[in-house]
Amino acid sequence: VLYAHSGDVRLAYTLRGKSGPPTVFVTGYMARRQVWALQVAQFSRSRQLLVYGRRGVGDSDRPDDGYGLEDQIADLEAVVDQAGWDRFDLVGHSMGGFIATAFAIRHPERIGKLALLATAPYRTTRSDFGVGVFITRDGEPLEWDEEGVQRAVALLIPERDSTWLRMEMARTIPQMNDPDQARRTFAAFEGVDLRPDLPSIQAPTLVLHGTRDNVVQPEVGRRLAAAIPGARFETFDGRWLYSIEGSPS
C-alpha cells in the first residue's frame, strides 16, 4: 500500500500492472478500493492500474469535514500526481463516476478515455432510484443496523454475484454509513449538478448501466451519455453492482 497526501488527508492507493495505458479506478460511496479486485486481476495484464481509497474509506484518513466535490477532485489529483501520471484513463462507479465526471470536466487534458458505471451527473433524488436503498423518505441517509445491512446487501447484489462480494459489502456498509459521516457527505453534494458542463468533456466516453439497476434508473445513464459529445451508452442484464462483480470485461 502506498500513500499520497491531499492537504492534511492521507490517501491509500495501490499500483498494479507493469505496462500499458495508465488507468485509475474510483470507488462508489460505500466501497473500499478492494471492491475492484476482479478488475485489477483482469486489466493489470495489459494496463497500469491505480486504485485508491477515497477519504473516509478503508485505510485512508477520515477527517471530520471536507467531503465535498472539490475535495474529492483534489484527492484524485493528489494520487495521480504522486504516481507521476500526467494523462490516464479514468473509470468511476456510482459516486466515483460523479467524481470522475467532474475531474474530466475540470482537467480534460489529463483524461485519455472515460468510463462511467451506474452513475449520474447530479445528486440523485428519490425519483431517480429504483428502491431508494441509500435514503429515507425524508432524503436522509439510512442509519444502518444489522437488519438494514442485510436488506441493503440483498437489494444491491444480484443473485448471480459471488459470496465474496456479499461478504465485502456486509463489512463495508456499516463502516461507510456512520450516520454523521453519511450526512456530511450527502450535505456536501447537495445541489451539485454537472449537467451544464457535460458538453465540455473531450475524452471518448463509455456510460455503462444495468437494465435492472435498482439504485439509479438506467434512464439517468442514458441521459448522461446523450449530454456528452460522442459518448456511447451500453446496457447489460444486471443491477447496480453487477458492473463491478460480474459483467463481461
Side-chain angles (χ1 to χ4, degrees):
V1 178
L2 303 171
Y3 292 94
H5 284 85
S6 179
D8 295 330
V9 177
R10 190 178 74 158
L11 303 166
Y13 72 97
T14 54
L15 294 172
R16 294 289 186 270
K18 297 181 179 180
S19 62
T23 305
V24 179
F25 288 87
V26 189
T27 59
Y29 173 67
M30 298 181 300
R32 303 186 302 166
R33 54 188 169 80
Q34 288 85 349
V35 78
W36 293 110
L38 294 180
Q39 280 69 31
V40 169
Q42 173 71 26
F43 292 110
S44 61
R45 303 170 188 171
S46 58
R47 290 175 171 267
Q48 303 173 71
L49 305 183
L50 186 157
V51 182
Y52 74 101
R54 294 190 298 103
R55 59 176 59 204
V57 184
D59 43 5
S60 291
D61 284 350
R62 301 184 185 187
D64 292 334
D65 53 23
Y67 287 87
L69 182 59
E70 292 299 323
D71 303 296
Q72 305 285 352
I73 293 172
D75 290 352
L76 175 50
E77 188 170 16
V79 293
V80 293
D81 286 350
Q82 179 70 25
W85 291 1
D86 293 325
R87 187 174 172 85
F88 48 90
D89 295 342
L90 186 56
V91 181
H93 176 258
S94 192
M95 182 179 283
F98 191 105
I99 296 165
T101 302
F103 193 94
I105 291 169
R106 182 72 57 83
H107 300 289
E109 75 286 353
R110 302 196 69 171
I111 305 303
K113 296 178 180 179
L114 181 64
L116 305 173
L117 316 180
T119 192
Y122 55 95
R123 205 191 81 170
T124 46
T125 64
R126 192 167 184 84
S127 63
D128 298 312
F129 282 68
V131 292
V133 292
F134 293 134
I135 55 177
T136 66
R137 290 188 178 89
D138 297 326
E140 292 293 324
L142 291 174
E143 297 186 25
W144 303 99
D145 53 18
E146 184 176 352
E147 181 181 352
V149 169
Q150 293 175 353
R151 171 178 175 268
V153 170
L155 286 168
L156 292 175
I157 301 177
E159 299 85 350
R160 288 171 289 180
D161 280 357
S162 69
T163 301
W164 171 83
L165 188 58
R166 287 183 178 271
M167 293 174 61
E168 172 67 14
M169 293 303 293
R171 286 194 299 265
T172 303
I173 288 175
Q175 168 190 310
M176 279 305 302
N177 284 275
D178 168 75
D180 291 335
Q181 180 179 313
R183 289 190 180 93
R184 286 195 295 267
T185 302
F186 267 65
F189 278 72
E190 177 71 36
V192 179
D193 191 341
L194 302 177
R195 285 174 289 187
D197 297 317
L198 293 176
S200 69
I201 293 178
Q202 300 175 13
T205 301
L206 170 66
V207 178
L208 185 64
H209 223 99
T211 56
R212 294 183 290 116
D213 191 322
N214 53 353
V215 175
V216 182
Q217 294 178 358
E219 184 58 28
V220 176
R222 189 182 304 277
R223 294 196 299 264
L224 170 61
I228 299 174
R232 182 162 54 100
F233 178 66
E234 295 285 347
T235 61
F236 57 89
D237 181 24
R239 301 190 199 177
W240 179 66
L241 278 169
Y242 199 56
S243 56
I244 288 181
E245 164 60 11
S247 65
S249 57

